[in-house]
Amino acid sequence: MPASGLGNADFGMRFPDKISLTRGIEREALRVDAAGDIAKTPHPESLGPALTHPYITLDYAETLPELITPPFVDDVNGLLEFLANLHIWFYQAIRPQGEILWNGSMPACIPSEQDIVIARFGRSNIARMKEIYRTGLGYRYGKTMQMIAGVHYNLSIDDDFWRWRYPAMSEAPFSSVRSHGYMGLIRNFLRHQWLLVYLFGASPSICQSFLKERPSRLARLSESTRYGTYATSLRMSDIGYVNNAQTALNISYNSVDTYIAGLEAAIRTPEPLYQKIGVVVDGEYRQLNANILQIENEFYASVRPKRTVRSGERPAKALTRAGVEYVEVRALDLNPFAPLGISKAQVLFLDCFLLWCALNDSPALSCREIGENKDNLRRVVESGRQEELTLWRENREVRLVEEGQRIFDELLKVAEYLERQPWAVTQSLNYTESLAELASMVNRPDETLSAQALAVVQNCGSHVEGFLQLSRAATSAIERMKYTGSFCRDMQKVTQTARDKFEEVESQAQMPFEQFLAAYFE
């Protein structure tokens, strides 16, 4: 496939004549009552069973739903339209209960951990496994940490792109070529993810109830609220998703094989701290096992290589079977100013950013570079909006402003390329305009989501009141939306199918759970 030449002179970056992108979104959010307290009601039955519904399931708790779109090929508008329709559908189930979705990543006031009800999935072995896994998370890290929410963005690039990108690998199995490309994309993502957190981090404050009695370096706004003066994403900080046992894992992204080997070792290596918890105590499971990871999903990563799993298949085995199929970006806070938790501008940016990561050379990550990447992320998480903040680049420090401008100069070339694609023209996708607006934030930290969110919190006097105001605004916007197409009728059919499938699973004869678990990990 010939290259278009766009951008060659400026950055040595080549582009194929055409490209196809498949996208999906997973949005988590807490259900809260009118006062912003975490809802006490179970997952609404009208939404269908969380175990088998393809679009509405539960994350950690009964009050932490996850709304999932199917994959959309070359259709940004269709993706966001489906997500909007899904929100309308969900709200029709919770509004009669006086509930709304909390439109922030860091939760509202957290009750005692005994009041947090782990998600229920049914009586089958797979349902029991899901619940025990969540029980284990509670014992290991506390239930409070599991109430943090975010948005996951899934992207795959068409097969022709990878053949064009790596012509020297033409004799290799295509699954190897594609996996090689995605792992390179991921390494570049890790090098530059600080930019996503700078732009889209939106959790600069927390409720004191989240900290419990833990000491904190955060500033105090009020008796109930702590915040980081220049913080962007406390969700991504050391008080957010934390697993100290994982720090020594050093799971390598230098190839899909080293990544799989790292995961396999982690789910089979005992952790003394978790052994003290016990696996089965007084006849009740406390966790699936006492290893560093119970299952692969426990690995807290900001980006993951993924492959659609078959029934009963572990993620690592799926990658071994057929290689990487897409990447899952997990570094995004909920956007409190976007009713759907993510905006169209963010989607367009992610397209450009991830494609840029795929197009650039991506050598293996050295120990030095891994350390630099982690420190850059920490600096932006804790002090991203601080003037004259510096980051590491190739063993020297550079100003965030300069590095951000350099990256945006290259991203704008990618935006121009994407904007020329027929599917982008048909949908009037303004990639360059969206990126130009975001690029201005590099010099104007007060325009970032974290700065805007903190301003609301400070004006309202507390984390809870600030994000409750933002959540009410999002609710009002969703309630003004109207279904498009045949979504309502289609969802009724999908929900009934999910109920039928759930009944089928529940009615099947179940092998002893211990045998089921052994077979899963075999």
Side-chain angles (χ1 to χ4, degrees):
M1 185 183 298
S4 67
L6 181 62
N8 293 2
D10 291 332
F11 305 113
M13 189 181 298
R14 299 168 56 246
F15 298 91
D17 284 338
K18 60 183 179 179
I19 196 167
S20 178
L21 303 178
T22 300
R23 310 161 181 85
I25 294 174
E26 304 165 31
R27 185 257 166 99
E28 304 161 351
L30 276 172
R31 280 190 295 117
V32 299
D33 63 21
D37 295 325
I38 296 175
K40 297 179 175 60
T41 54
H43 185 64
E45 289 187 9
S46 62
L47 293 172
L51 180 70
T52 53
H53 202 291
Y55 307 133
I56 302 174
T57 187
L58 292 169
D59 189 77
Y60 178 76
E62 277 288 297
T63 51
L64 188 57
E66 186 171 3
L67 308 185
I68 304 169
T69 73
F72 280 79
V73 181
D74 295 336
D75 191 358
V76 171
N77 291 343
L79 171 72
L80 294 173
E81 184 178 277
F82 186 96
L83 188 60
N85 284 330
L86 199 55
H87 277 73
I88 299 169
W89 179 267
F90 191 88
Y91 260 79
Q92 288 182 340
I94 67 172
R95 289 303 282 148
Q97 302 173 169
E99 297 170 356
I100 63 175
L101 290 178
W102 183 255
N103 212 31
S105 282
M106 300 306 288
C109 185
I110 295 288
S112 66
E113 297 220 333
Q114 289 72 23
D115 294 330
I116 298 174
V117 179
I118 289 173
R120 301 186 180 101
F121 292 95
R123 300 185 304 272
S124 63
N125 278 334
I126 186 62
R128 189 178 177 193
M129 180 179 171
K130 286 177 176 287
E131 293 181 26
I132 293 171
Y133 166 62
R134 286 160 173 78
T135 299
L137 295 178
Y139 273 105
R140 292 174 175 215
Y141 321 115
K143 292 182 177 181
T144 297
M145 192 189 88
Q146 306 303 320
M147 304 303 276
I148 299 173
V151 177
H152 301 165
Y153 188 71
N154 303 321
L155 182 85
S156 67
I157 309 175
D158 68 277
D159 292 351
D160 285 343
F161 171 84
W162 297 117
R163 293 187 180 97
W164 168 86
R165 180 69 178 85
Y166 296 101
M169 297 180 68
S170 59
E171 300 301 318
F174 178 68
S175 61
S176 298
V177 178
R178 183 173 53 202
S179 292
H180 175 79
Y182 278 121
M183 297 307 290
L185 183 163
I186 287 171
R187 291 192 296 274
N188 278 336
F189 178 94
L190 294 172
R191 291 177 171 110
H192 303 102
Q193 64 177 319
W194 62 263
L195 182 58
L196 269 72
V197 176
Y198 173 81
L199 295 170
F200 304 137
S203 52
S205 64
I206 57 172
C207 181
Q208 178 65 42
S209 64
F210 184 85
L211 288 171
K212 306 299 182 188
E213 301 302 320
R214 287 182 294 167
S216 173
R217 302 184 304 272
L218 296 174
R220 184 187 297 274
L221 176 65
S222 64
E223 192 66 27
S224 66
T225 300
R226 294 294 190 100
Y227 72 99
T229 306
Y230 302 107
T232 57
S233 175
L234 297 181
R235 168 180 170 266
M236 296 285 287
S237 75
D238 58 3
I239 63 171
Y241 282 121
V242 179
N243 183 341
N244 292 329
Q246 292 184 19
T247 56
L249 280 179
N250 293 322
I251 289 179
S252 172
Y253 293 91
N254 286 336
S255 74
V256 69
D257 290 337
T258 59
Y259 178 81
I260 293 169
L263 283 182
E264 289 285 3
I267 64 174
R268 301 184 192 284
T269 301
E271 162 55 43
L273 182 63
Y274 303 155
Q275 287 178 317
K276 291 180 181 179
I277 294 170
V279 177
V280 181
V281 179
D282 296 330
E284 296 291 332
Y285 271 89
R286 288 187 172 182
Q287 51 188 341
L288 294 174
N289 54 58
N291 299 329
I292 296 175
L293 302 179
Q294 297 176 87
I295 57 176
E296 294 93 328
N297 288 351
E298 193 174 339
F299 178 46
Y300 296 131
S302 57
V303 61
R304 289 175 179 167
K306 296 294 288 285
R307 155 72 50 182
T308 304
V309 298
R310 295 170 177 170
S311 178
E313 185 179 40
R314 290 193 294 109
K317 290 300 183 185
L319 289 174
T320 301
R321 168 175 55 82
V324 186
E325 181 183 11
Y326 63 96
V327 291
E328 178 189 42
V329 175
R330 301 164 54 83
L332 294 169
D333 286 354
L334 287 169
N335 182 341
F337 301 95
L340 308 182
I342 186 171
S343 69
K344 187 173 184 177
Q346 287 177 283
V347 170
L348 298 183
F349 176 87
L350 287 163
D351 285 353
C352 293
F353 183 78
L354 294 173
L355 181 56
W356 176 73
C357 288
L359 287 164
N360 274 292
D361 290 340
S362 185
L365 289 168
S366 65
C367 291
R368 172 194 57 78
E369 195 173 12
I370 291 171
E372 288 181 354
N373 295 340
K374 290 180 178 179
D375 195 44
N376 285 345
L377 182 60
R378 180 194 60 78
R379 292 185 185 193
V380 172
V381 161
E382 295 178 357
S383 307
R385 290 179 283 108
Q386 189 171 33
E387 289 186 19
E388 304 303 317
L389 182 68
T390 60
L391 304 172
W392 292 103
R393 186 185 182 202
E394 297 178 353
N395 210 34
R396 65 186 181 90
E397 291 192 84
V398 297
R399 293 173 63 229
L400 180 150
V401 170
E402 295 173 1
E403 187 68 355
Q405 289 173 338
R406 180 190 71 82
I407 294 172
F408 265 107
D409 285 344
E410 298 191 21
L411 288 176
L412 285 169
K413 290 296 181 181
V414 180
E416 292 171 5
Y417 164 70
L418 286 175
E419 212 163 74
R420 292 159 50 128
Q421 297 302 303
W423 48 263
V425 173
T426 301
Q427 298 173 74
S428 301
L429 301 179
N430 297 318
Y431 280 96
T432 54
E433 181 179 326
S434 293
L435 256 69
E437 292 178 2
L438 291 172
S440 69
M441 294 183 187
V442 173
N443 291 298
R444 299 188 181 95
D446 288 345
E447 295 179 4
T448 58
L449 292 184
S450 58
Q452 295 181 58
L454 184 57
V456 173
V457 169
Q458 290 174 324
N459 184 60
C460 292
S462 77
H463 170 79
V464 170
E465 288 302 318
F467 275 90
L468 182 57
Q469 176 179 306
L470 293 166
S471 301
R472 287 170 176 163
T475 297
S476 296
I478 292 169
E479 290 181 329
R480 291 193 298 269
M481 296 176 183
K482 304 294 183 185
Y483 284 125
T484 57
S486 59
F487 181 88
C488 189
R489 183 171 62 253
D490 293 342
M491 274 294 287
Q492 290 172 344
K493 294 178 181 178
V494 167
T495 303
Q496 185 55 52
T497 299
R499 290 193 179 100
D500 294 341
K501 186 175 181 180
F502 178 78
E503 291 300 325
E504 180 183 346
V505 171
E506 290 279 286
S507 64
Q508 289 174 348
Q510 303 289 310
M511 69 175 71
F513 182 72
E514 292 73 16
Q515 183 180 342
F516 169 83
L517 205 58
Y520 180 81
F521 285 107
E522 189 174 72

